[in-house]
Amino acid sequence: MNNNRVISFSDIDADWKLALDADNVFWGVVPKKVDGAFMMPDDLITLYQKEREHLDKELHDFRFNAELNCIYIDPTDKCNANCPYCYIPSRIRKKGTQMTGQELDAVLTKIAAHFKTSSKKPVIVFHAAEPLLVKGILFNAIDRFHKELLFGIQTNALLLEKEDVEFMKKRRMGVGISLDAPEADINNISRATTRGNGNFEKAVQAIDWFDGYEGLNVISTVTKFNVHRLSDHVRFLHKKKVPCVLLNPVRVTRIPALKLKPDQKVFAENLMDAVDTAMDLSIKSGRQIVVGNFSNVILAIISPSARRMMCDISPCGGGRTFLTITAGGEMVPCGEFIGSKEFSGGNIFDTTISKAMNSKPFKEIRSRTVEKIEECNTCDFRHICGSPCPAEMYARGNMYKKAEFCDFYKEIIRHAFKLIAEDKVKYLLRKDSLAYMQYEYQYK
Amino acid sequence: MTKKIKSENKKTRHSKKPSAVSYHLKCAKTANGLTHFVMYGDVPKKKMPL
Ligand SMILES: C[S@@+](CC[C@H](N)C(=O)[O-])C[C@H]1O[C@@H](n2cnc3c(N)ncnc32)[C@H](O)[C@@H]1O
Ligand code: SF4
Ligand code: SF4
C-alpha cells in the first residue's frame, strides 16, 4: 500500500467540490460557498482514515479476486443484419460457423461441470452473431439445463415470435433487444438488415410483447446518428414499459465504426439529459426506467462491488468474471476479441475452462490495469472509468492507451457525483433495491 | 453497524444542506453474471440495484 496517498480535490460544478482518494474511491462531496471556497470537515478526514483500509481491501478483492460467473456463447457467427458498427468482422458473419445441438449440449455440460461446486449459478448469455437464427437448439438446451444454469439472450429481434417471448419469460431469461432510436429512419441507418431495411418494426413489436417484463433491457449503441435522440428514446421506451436501457458508446474496434463515433461532449450532454428524463418520468409516473450504464457509474462510486457491468473497471471483466465461447468453440476473454485469433485461450471441445482461464492471452487481459496506462495512472476517476476497452484499444494499435471515450467518462462521472450530492440515487437504481443495500458508513 | 438506507433517507430529507455527503453501501447479494457491455442472465426479483 502506498502510504503517501492523499485525498485530491476537484470541482464537480459551481455548487460542489469533490474530495476523493482515487485508489479506493473513498469520496466526499463538500458544498462550496458563494465565493467558491469550501471547508473540508475534520470529521470527514477522520472517517476517511477509519475506512481507508477496508475500502482498499474491498476494491482490491473486486478487481483481482472476483470469480468467473458468466459465459457468453456465440451459437452462430451468422447474422441476418448488417449493422455498420458491428465489432464482428463481416468475413466472420459471412462464413457463418454454427454450433450443432450436440455441440451446444457438450459445451453446456462442460460449463455445468465447471461450476458444480460454485455457490452461485453461472449466467449463460447467448450473444452473437444473431442467436435467434438457431433458436430451436437454444430453447431445447435451455429446457435441459435451466435447473443448473441461468440464461440470457441478446438479439436484434428480427426472428422473434410471440411464443418465444412467452418461453423467455417462463424461463426467467435476461433479454437484451437492440434498438438505437425511437424512429425507424434513424434506427435503421445503424441497425440495417441484410434485406436493406432495419429492425425497428420488429424490435418495437418485441418490446410490446415483453410488456414491462423485469428481465428486459434495450441496448442502444450511440453513434453520431442517434446521439441527439437519447432523451426521446428514453421517453419512447418508458411509454413501452421498458425497465432498463443501456446507452452504450459505439466501440471503434473496426474502422467502419470509427466513422460513426459521436462527439464526446455532445454525447455526454445528451446522456445526462437522458438520465434526467429517465428520473423525471420515473418520479412522475411511478414506473421506473433506468439508464443502466449510468446507474453502473453510480454504483462504481457508492458501492463499487455491487456494479454488474464489467467494462468500466480495470482489469475489465474479460477473461476474469466472464468469457466468450465462439461458434467454433474458441474461448476468448470477451466477444470483442472475436476478430483476433491470438487471443484464444483454447477450444472448449479439446481443453477446459480452467485451462483457458490460465492461458497467456487471458492473463494478458487480466493484467491490463489503469495503473499501467499513461494519464489514467494519475486520473482521479481511474477506478470508476476503468479505461475501456482493451479489445478496442488493441485494435487501435495499443492496448495500453487511455479510453477512446475518456472525455465522455470524465463528464458523466462528475455528473454522477452531482446527482449523488443532490440525493437522487434512489431514482437512479432499480426501485426497492436500496432496501437490500446497507450502509457501511455514512458521514453525518 | 449497518442500517437500512430507507430509514436514513427519511431523516436526511428534512435536514438542511449538509456540511458534506459521503457514504458507502454494501449490497447484501452480489450480482450473478458480472457481464460486459450488455447484460444479462439474472432476472432481478426486486433485489439487484441494476
Ligand atoms: C454484436 S450484437 C449480437 C446480438 C444481436 N445480433 C444484436 O444485434 O443484438 C450485441 C450488441 O452489441 C452491439 N454492438 C455491436 N457492435 C458494436 C460496437 N462497435 N460498439 C458498441 N456496441 C456494439 C449491438 O448494437 C448489439 O446491441
Ligand atoms: S444484428 Fe448484431 S450481430 Fe448482426 S450485424 Fe448487427 S450488431 Fe452485429
Ligand atoms: S480513460 Fe480518461 S477518465 Fe478514464 S481513467 Fe483514463 S484518463 Fe481517467
Side-chain angles (χ1 to χ4, degrees):
Chain A
M1 194 170 78
N2 170 8
N3 283 319
N4 300 322
R5 269 172 31 198
V6 283
I7 288 193
S8 67
F9 296 96
S10 59
D11 283 319
I12 296 174
D13 64 3
D15 296 326
W16 299 96
K17 198 90 184 172
L18 171 66
L20 182 72
D21 178 348
D23 281 323
N24 62 12
V25 199
F26 175 91
W27 59 272
V29 283
V30 187
K32 289 190 202 166
K33 300 196 183 111
V34 242
D35 60 358
F38 70 99
M39 248 266 302
M40 176 80 175
D42 283 347
D43 46 357
L44 187 57
I45 296 173
T46 314
L47 181 68
Y48 165 65
Q49 284 160 345
K50 185 166 153 266
E51 301 296 341
R52 175 174 143 165
E53 212 162 302
H54 121 259
L55 290 180
D56 283 352
K57 185 177 177 331
E58 182 186 327
L59 193 61
H60 184 275
D61 278 353
F62 193 60
R63 292 182 69 202
F64 300 104
N65 299 329
E67 284 181 3
L68 177 75
N69 68 4
C70 174
I71 310 268
Y72 287 87
I73 299 179
D74 294 349
T76 173
D77 285 344
K78 277 206 188 98
C79 193
N80 45 7
N82 193 17
C83 307
Y85 49 55
C86 188
Y87 62 80
I88 307 168
S90 54
R91 68 180 151 83
I92 293 181
R93 277 181 278 134
K94 277 195 189 119
K95 186 167 164 237
T97 309
Q98 209 147 286
M99 273 186 199
T100 63
Q102 272 171 337
E103 284 169 334
L104 180 59
D105 209 77
V107 169
L108 292 173
T109 304
K110 245 184 182 171
I111 295 174
H114 179 87
F115 288 98
K116 215 176 172 78
T117 54
S118 302
S119 53
K120 278 184 183 177
K121 283 187 191 182
V123 177
I124 311 302
V125 184
F126 293 117
H127 195 241
E130 177 42 50
L132 287 181
L133 284 168
V134 288
K135 64 176 152 183
I137 69 164
L138 300 191
F139 292 175
N140 279 337
I142 293 166
D143 274 336
R144 271 201 304 282
F145 285 88
H146 76 273
K147 290 207 175 101
E148 299 141 89
L149 307 168
L150 297 164
F151 286 98
I153 188 165
Q154 175 62 37
T155 176
N156 60 26
L158 286 169
L159 291 174
L160 196 73
E161 288 163 282
K162 193 144 199 271
E163 59 262 33
D164 303 335
V165 172
E166 298 314 319
F167 176 85
M168 291 174 189
K169 285 183 177 174
K170 183 177 97 187
R171 289 283 177 235
R172 301 292 295 169
M173 290 176 72
V175 181
I177 302 239
S178 294
L179 182 75
D180 287 352
E183 51 278 293
D185 54 343
I186 296 181
N187 177 77
N188 293 352
I189 304 172
S190 53
R191 306 230 39 113
T193 63
T194 42
R195 293 194 175 156
N197 41 2
N199 82 332
F200 185 81
E201 219 173 295
K202 273 305 298 185
V204 173
Q205 182 184 51
I207 291 167
D208 284 336
W209 284 336
F210 275 104
D211 191 28
Y213 172 59
E214 309 90 305
L216 178 69
N217 298 290
V218 166
I219 318 281
S220 308
T221 301
V222 180
T223 64
K224 64 182 182 189
F225 296 123
N226 62 351
V227 67
H228 293 284
R229 308 293 299 128
L230 305 185
S231 259
D232 284 337
H233 198 36
V234 166
R235 241 173 242 121
F236 176 77
L237 297 175
H238 179 258
K239 220 178 263 170
K240 302 232 162 250
K241 302 193 209 162
V242 172
C244 178
V245 56
L246 302 181
L247 302 172
N248 289 330
V250 63
R251 292 237 185 280
V252 296
T253 318
R254 290 176 53 252
I255 302 287
L258 193 56
K259 292 191 201 121
L260 307 182
K261 187 180 170 184
D263 177 84
Q264 296 193 58
K265 202 166 172 345
V266 173
F267 182 17
E269 277 163 13
N270 280 280
L271 185 104
M272 294 184 291
D273 277 354
V275 168
D276 286 348
T277 301
M279 270 197 301
D280 221 42
L281 291 169
S282 303
I283 295 167
K284 284 188 184 137
S285 68
R287 193 183 62 244
Q288 200 185 21
I289 182 163
V290 298
V291 177
N293 49 320
F294 188 78
S295 307
N296 207 59
V297 173
I298 295 280
L299 286 173
I301 297 167
I302 63 169
S303 188
S305 53
R307 66 181 130 195
R308 52 183 314 158
M309 294 170 75
M310 299 293 279
C311 288
D312 302 349
I313 185 166
S314 90
C316 74
R320 189 164 79 85
T321 65
F322 63 85
L323 60 82
T324 289
I325 301 174
T326 70
E330 296 303 320
M331 287 179 276
V332 284
C334 169
E336 307 268 344
F337 284 106
I338 190 169
S340 324
K341 275 211 165 60
E342 58 276 32
F343 282 97
S344 174
N347 194 296
I348 183 95
F349 298 118
D350 43 52
T351 185
T352 62
I353 293 172
S354 301
K355 280 198 180 137
M357 289 296 284
N358 282 314
S359 66
K360 201 165 158 248
F362 277 49
K363 283 184 180 155
E364 193 179 337
I365 301 309
R366 284 201 302 270
S367 63
R368 184 196 181 261
T369 57
V370 278
E371 286 87 345
K372 296 179 188 161
I373 303 171
E374 211 172 314
E375 215 179 307
C376 302
N377 57 0
T378 54
C379 172
D380 277 353
F381 297 154
R382 57 186 176 268
H383 294 313
I384 304 170
C385 153
S387 197
C389 114
E392 185 180 32
M393 298 328 288
Y394 178 78
R396 307 272 298 124
N398 178 5
M399 199 189 285
Y400 286 88
K401 269 201 311 200
K402 69 168 185 169
E404 196 55 54
F405 280 87
C406 168
D407 293 339
F408 163 78
Y409 286 112
K410 282 182 178 150
E411 289 273 331
I412 65 163
I413 291 168
R414 262 193 295 273
H415 191 64
F417 276 111
K418 178 175 147 64
L419 297 183
I420 291 168
E422 292 171 355
D423 199 21
K424 303 267 176 62
V425 167
K426 48 189 171 288
Y427 310 119
L428 295 165
L429 302 181
R430 277 187 195 268
K431 211 170 162 186
D432 295 339
S433 68
L434 284 174
Y436 291 83
M437 296 180 84
Q438 309 209 303
Y439 276 107
E440 286 207 322
Y441 63 80
Q442 183 186 25
Y443 176 80
K444 276 194 249 191
Chain B
M1 268 282 288
T2 51
K3 276 187 193 161
K4 289 256 166 91
I5 190 170
K6 273 193 170 163
S7 56
E8 297 293 337
N9 281 341
K10 262 181 217 149
K11 265 186 227 165
T12 47
R13 210 177 294 153
H14 300 294
S15 59
K16 296 198 304 272
K17 201 173 187 183
S19 61
V21 181
S22 176
Y23 59 87
H24 184 86
L25 297 163
K26 188 110 192 153
C27 195
K29 293 192 185 220
T30 50
N32 269 329
L34 294 172
T35 64
H36 105 303
F37 237 34
V38 288
M39 299 186 289
Y40 21 77
D42 173 9
V43 175
K45 289 178 192 142
K46 292 190 176 178
K47 66 178 191 298
M48 285 314 179
L50 181 59

